[in-house]
């Protein structure tokens, strides 16, 4: 189970319900439903349409679900959506065989699809991928919703928020309701799928609209924190200043994600003063050279400076890191792990390390065949990690999407997973690693001569 509910599905169901369409959300993860039990729940609803979120790491499960639903609910129209449907709709439509795919921003496309008089009219609906004479084709591009303020507040009633609150508290996290205030990101990192999912400029809700939803959700879920899921919460300083001015009077705790080099000491002071108690930062790599090559462009010196400054407050900071880029050397990987070790000594309290996943359509993906896009879900229960702080006791299990094929020339995909496990232990112990120590994971296998 994840700490956060399926906000993407709840946004879509909220929009449909706001427009008068009956919509249910079956959250199989929180309900702990097997595939068979999930299909049974869906069948009992006698749905006219079933929407299925599609992610590259779970396409195998989605394929099986579609197959089972064809038998259990033969009259239901099966609509795929989500990242995989947006990034490569033709291939996904051919391989998984739903009735159609929603490619791109889903609200209006989904509404028009479920409201259409028949399948014959699907060709005139922008944002779909459909089959015509046995061939997959995209309809016209769907225009983005320019006024995000026009979207309804997220309706969490289709799922059990109590079960999420219980799980969050069992992991010593505060009960939290999650929101998004923007779509897109102003950056174009070579490994990131966000520019494919949200091309063009970043769109934001107004600060006033965000404040109104915060008040609404906290009235429904008294005592809950607000967790913002935006990729880059701090990127517009004028927007941030107005949000801070408005949020200060609410007496609500909130957390967010962003780039640390968008913050200065004044902004940090204001965030803490107005109730921000957790901030997560994308770091990705500890190599200055690779920051440029991946077009992340993070100022690592400023990262150190601001983590040191944040440590003056009782605020939890978390860093996201990745290893296993196709041209990453063992020394580059060591730089990343060692930066995390250093940041812990400066006050960073939580860490997430991920094996690199290649998403089709990204600049990075151009170097690989389709086989490199295979991935899966991996969970790790670190019996050998323990300690008195947040990292050792509160993070009982680590979940990650892992590559299903070899990407890096020094470590294969299984060794990259072992490297991530080793990195967690080294961070916990405050011990740095060497390139030779990383390369030892390859054993006697032949690797490029410059790996050491």
């Amino acid at each position: 189970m994840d700490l956060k509910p399926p906000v993407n599905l709840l946004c879509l169901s909220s929009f449909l319900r706001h427009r008068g369409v009956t919509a249910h959300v079956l959250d199989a993860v929180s309900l702990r439903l097997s595939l068979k039990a999930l299909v049974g729940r869906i069948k009992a609803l006698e749905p006219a349409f079933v929407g299925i979120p599609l992610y590259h790491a779970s396409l195998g499960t989605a394929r099986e679900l579609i197959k089972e639903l064809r038998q259990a609910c033969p009259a239901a129209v099966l609509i795929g959506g989500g990242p995989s449907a947006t990034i490569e709709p033709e291939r996904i439509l051919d391989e998984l065989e739903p009735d159609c795919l929603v490619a791109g921003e889903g609200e209006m496309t989904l509404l028009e699809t479920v409201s259409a008089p028949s399948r014959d009219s699907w060709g005139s609906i922008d944002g779909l991928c459909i089959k015509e004479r046995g061939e997959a084709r995209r309809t016209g591009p769907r225009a983005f919703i320019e006024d995000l303020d026009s979207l309804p507040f997220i309706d969490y009633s289709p799922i059990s928020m109590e079960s999420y609150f219980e799980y969050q508290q069992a992991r010593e996290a505060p009960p939290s309701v999650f929101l998004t205030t923007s779509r897109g990101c102003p950056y174009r990192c070579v490994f990131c799928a966000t520019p494919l999912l949200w091309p063009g400029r970043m769109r934001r809700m107004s600060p006033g609209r965000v404040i109104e939803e915060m008040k609404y959700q906290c009235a429904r879920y008294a005592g809950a924190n607000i967790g913002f899921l935006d990729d880059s919460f701090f990127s517009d300083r004028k927007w941030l200043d107005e949000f801070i001015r408005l949020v200060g009077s609410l007496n609500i705790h909130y957390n967010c994600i962003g780039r640390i080099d968008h913050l200065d000491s004044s902004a940090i002071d204001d965030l803490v003063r107005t109730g921000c108690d957790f901030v997560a930062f994308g770091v990705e790599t500890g190599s200055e050279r690779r920051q440029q090559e991946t077009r992340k462009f993070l100022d690592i010196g400023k990262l150190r400076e601001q983590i040191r400054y944040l440590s003056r407050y009782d605020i939890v900071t978390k860093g996201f890191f990745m290893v296993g880029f196709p041209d990453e050397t063992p020394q580059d990987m060591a730089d990343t792990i060692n930066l995390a070790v250093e940041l812990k000594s400066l006050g960073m309290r939580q860490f997430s390390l991920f094996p690199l996943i290649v998403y089709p359509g990204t600049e990075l993906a151009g170097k690989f065949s389709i086989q490199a896009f295979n991935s899966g879900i991996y969970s790790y229960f670190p019996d050998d990690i323990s300690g008195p702080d947040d990292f050792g006791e509160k993070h009982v299990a680590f979940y990650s999407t892992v590559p299903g094929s070899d990407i890096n020339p020094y470590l294969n995909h299984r060794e990259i997973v072992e490297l991530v496990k080793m990195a967690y232990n080294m961070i916990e112990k405050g011990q740095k690693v060497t390139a030779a120590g990383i390369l030892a994971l390859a054993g006697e296998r032949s690797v490029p001569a410059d790996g050491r």
Side-chain angles (χ1 to χ4, degrees), residues 9-60:
L9 299 183
L10 290 164
C11 286
L12 291 171
S13 69
S14 301
F15 185 83
L16 293 177
R17 290 157 73 96
H18 184 69
R19 295 298 187 98
V21 178
T22 300
H24 303 271
V25 176
L26 287 179
D27 182 11
V29 176
S30 68
L31 295 172
R32 295 175 171 84
L33 296 177
S34 66
L35 184 67
K36 181 178 179 180
L38 175 62
V39 171
R41 288 280 193 101
I42 295 172
K43 182 179 180 179
L45 292 171
E46 300 181 348
F49 301 88
V50 179
I52 303 166
L54 301 174
Y55 301 87
H56 278 80
S58 56
L59 288 180

Side-chain angles (χ1 to χ4, degrees), residues 269-323:
D269 292 342
D270 287 339
L271 288 167
V272 175
R273 174 179 56 80
T274 57
C276 182
D277 55 14
F278 179 102
V279 186
F281 304 105
V283 180
E284 324 311 354
T285 175
S287 164
E288 295 274 12
R289 172 181 61 81
R290 296 203 54 73
Q291 284 287 339
Q292 305 305 310
E293 291 173 350
T294 61
R295 293 209 290 275
K296 174 75 178 182
F297 300 129
L298 182 69
D299 184 335
I300 293 178
K302 190 168 186 179
L303 168 68
R304 294 186 178 98
E305 175 187 334
Q306 300 297 42
I307 291 297
R308 187 181 291 110
Y309 189 84
L310 279 160
S311 69
R312 297 168 47 182
Y313 293 103
D314 185 22
I315 182 171
V316 176
T317 54
K318 179 176 183 176
F320 296 102
F321 304 81
M322 292 191 296
V323 291

